[in-house]
Amino acid sequence: MKAAKSQTMLPVAGTDMLLPVTELTGEKKGETITLSAGVHSREYAGVQALTELAQELDPRQVRGTIRLLHCCNYEGFLRRSADVVPQDGKNLNREFPGDPGGTPAQRLAAFLEQEFIERTDYLVDFHSGGFCESLTPHLYFHGTAAPEVRAVSRRMAELTTVPYLVESSAENGFYSWAGQRGVPAILLERGGCGLVEPGAIEGHKRDALRLLRGLGFLEDGEPVSSAAHQVITTAFYVDAPESGCWYPAKAAGDFIREGEMLGEIRNLFGKVLCRVTAKASGVILYQTASLGIEKGASLVAYGKL
Ligand SMILES: [Zn+2]
């Protein structure tokens, strides 16, 4: 087979949505890996990293097949929607396994499962902090998939350069559903706040290349040496106990001690409504960066070290 690169706008069955996809096929037969981004509309580092890789990767150096899914929620990306599929207001990452007869986001999830999860040996999903969220680079690997799937996910995680590897129990996201379907997968997080950050883009690209080399898809002679990581098996995801103004006491990536104050919510008249304290010593993975916060919204997440 001749080495080839194809680029298409793939129609999503049963919707008017399109998916931008680049596929690289090498002369040598091998496995398939899918790199995806843009599940959330305003998380740009992964979208730009894959867009650059699609132009730079040479299919003559590829073994097997590399599929780049540039932007899963492409309509949301164009419309700058608040991290949901604009046609139905749903968060794509909560809609797996999807439904081919359901709402647009559910049809998109079903299509992603059928066309990508079912046709790949590995999945790497690139994210950033949300539109009003700052974070420190980290990743999630499967905690609940079958042991052999979990072991390969963990090996994939070890190939990256993010400092924190978080074991996740989620099951209904793109990468986590892949794990439930027997496909080893990880979710990488860099950057946030809806910004286009060169450092985050470079970091995602660097890890994409390390995974492609380390898993044998890219034969360009560059060795992959292992990086240092800390594994987090217990993480705390705190929602805002009150609506008001959020005053964080820490920054993403800061180390915290058990009992230490992470921030407080005050009303617009300056009255303190609540204080959030750490239940364990560890590191701030991400936190809300906006002043305004609504009760029940994601506020801060930290991992126990
Ligand atoms: Zn995301």
Side-chain angles (χ1 to χ4, degrees):
M1 197 163 52
K2 210 162 172 291
K5 181 189 295 193
S6 71
Q7 301 196 293
T8 47
M9 296 298 289
L10 191 64
V12 177
T15 75
D16 56 4
M17 294 183 212
L18 296 171
L19 284 177
V21 179
T22 297
E23 189 165 294
L24 298 115
T25 313
E27 273 176 33
K28 294 179 192 162
K29 277 203 161 66
E31 297 180 296
T32 297
I33 185 168
T34 300
L35 310 185
S36 59
V39 163
H40 293 133
S41 320
R42 301 195 212 179
E43 299 179 3
Y44 297 132
V47 177
Q48 181 57 22
L50 296 193
T51 294
E52 292 179 19
L53 284 172
Q55 293 166 57
E56 293 163 12
L57 287 174
D58 182 350
R60 289 170 300 183
Q61 293 177 331
V62 171
R63 173 192 287 273
T65 302
I66 300 170
R67 305 183 85 194
L68 305 175
L69 190 42
H70 295 241
C71 194
C72 293
N73 179 7
Y74 181 54
E75 187 67 24
F77 173 76
L78 296 178
R79 292 205 224 166
R80 296 169 296 179
S81 88
D83 291 331
V84 296
V85 173
Q87 289 92 332
D88 60 11
K90 289 184 186 295
N91 177 352
L92 177 60
N93 232 21
R94 299 280 178 275
E95 295 303 325
F96 287 85
D99 176 358
T103 70
Q106 291 166 339
R107 290 176 190 218
L108 175 56
F111 184 81
L112 288 171
E113 175 172 1
Q114 187 192 327
E115 294 297 321
F116 291 89
I117 290 176
E118 299 294 336
R119 295 172 57 193
T120 199
D121 299 293
Y122 309 91
L123 176 70
V124 182
D125 196 23
F126 291 93
H127 285 245
S128 301
F131 167 55
C132 292
E133 211 166 64
S134 58
L135 62 72
T136 197
H138 65 281
L139 67 73
Y140 298 93
F141 66 97
H142 296 133
T144 59
E148 65 276 15
V149 176
R150 191 180 152 197
V152 180
S153 302
R154 174 69 188 267
R155 189 161 69 81
M156 292 166 72
E158 302 278 356
L159 289 168
T160 72
T161 57
V162 296
Y164 304 109
L165 315 183
V166 185
E167 188 174 294
S168 165
S169 58
E171 293 181 0
N172 64 350
F174 187 26
Y175 101 96
S176 43
W177 183 247
Q180 300 300 308
R181 301 293 299 151
V183 176
I186 54 174
L187 185 160
L188 280 142
E189 298 267 19
R190 273 195 182 85
C193 293
L195 299 172
V196 181
E197 296 161 280
I201 295 163
E202 278 309 307
H204 272 352
K205 264 179 88 174
R206 178 174 64 242
D207 283 344
L209 288 167
R210 290 173 63 90
L211 283 153
L212 293 175
R213 288 172 183 136
L215 295 170
F217 289 93
L218 203 52
E219 299 183 318
D220 57 2
E222 297 255 357
V224 180
S225 53
S226 62
H229 303 101
Q230 281 188 281
V231 177
I232 292 172
T233 53
T234 305
F236 298 84
Y237 304 93
V238 183
D239 293 335
E242 301 285 350
S243 294
C245 302
W246 164 238
Y247 298 95
K250 301 285 174 181
D254 277 359
F255 295 109
I256 52 173
R257 289 187 317 277
E258 186 179 344
E260 206 174 356
M261 190 171 84
L262 304 183
E264 61 187 23
I265 294 174
R266 301 177 208 150
N267 67 15
L268 286 162
F269 308 111
K271 183 181 177 226
V272 176
L273 303 177
C274 63
R275 292 197 167 92
V276 177
T277 53
K279 290 195 173 116
S281 299
V283 62
I284 304 274
L285 296 172
Y286 60 83
Q287 67 180 11
T288 289
S290 61
L291 178 62
I293 185 81
E294 192 178 16
K295 183 176 177 176
S298 168
L299 187 66
V300 57
Y302 55 98
K304 185 178 176 181
L305 291 175

